[in-house]
Amino acid sequence: MRIDKYLKISRIVKRRSVAQEMIAAGVVRLNGRPVKASSMVKVGDIVEVAFPRRTLKVSVICNDELLLKKGNRSYEVLEEHAVEHKDIP
């Protein structure tokens, strides 16, 4: 499954278009490398997403579209932490 579609179906990102924009901005990594929206996700891959206020690192445990649409768990959270923003004077 394409990573942009995976991010949407797994509910990590709300819309596929937003996932594509995040990928284009370089804030999504697959196994430690920047990706294209067409990159394929496999079970066991590590996906990292840097949101504005937090970062999320997950391990893919399911990439079957039919199972994901039924509500099955698609990932296991490995790391999640808030990003602190310092005010610039």
Side-chain angles (χ1 to χ4, degrees):
M1 176 183 308
R2 291 170 51 115
I3 192 162
D4 59 340
K5 190 169 188 177
Y6 176 80
L7 290 172
K8 193 269 184 220
I9 291 178
S10 65
R11 297 178 184 94
I12 294 173
V13 177
K14 289 185 180 183
R15 290 182 213 77
R16 190 169 176 181
S17 60
V18 172
Q20 291 169 341
E21 290 172 7
M22 291 176 74
I23 291 166
V27 299
V28 178
R29 294 184 172 270
L30 181 63
N31 297 321
R33 297 187 173 136
V35 294
K36 294 182 180 179
S38 62
S39 297
M40 301 304 283
V41 175
K42 301 179 298 282
V43 173
D45 283 346
I46 305 297
V47 178
E48 299 173 62
V49 182
F51 294 98
R53 297 188 183 262
R54 67 184 176 108
T55 59
L56 179 66
K57 185 176 185 179
V58 300
S59 174
V60 178
I61 59 174
C62 177
N63 67 345
D64 186 320
E65 186 174 349
L66 296 176
L67 292 175
L68 295 178
K69 286 185 176 180
K70 290 181 181 180
N72 288 12
R73 280 191 32 202
S74 62
Y75 61 88
E76 177 182 358
V77 176
L78 300 175
E79 289 180 28
E80 182 175 14
H81 61 278
V83 175
E84 294 181 24
H85 293 282
K86 295 182 180 180
D87 293 332
I88 300 173

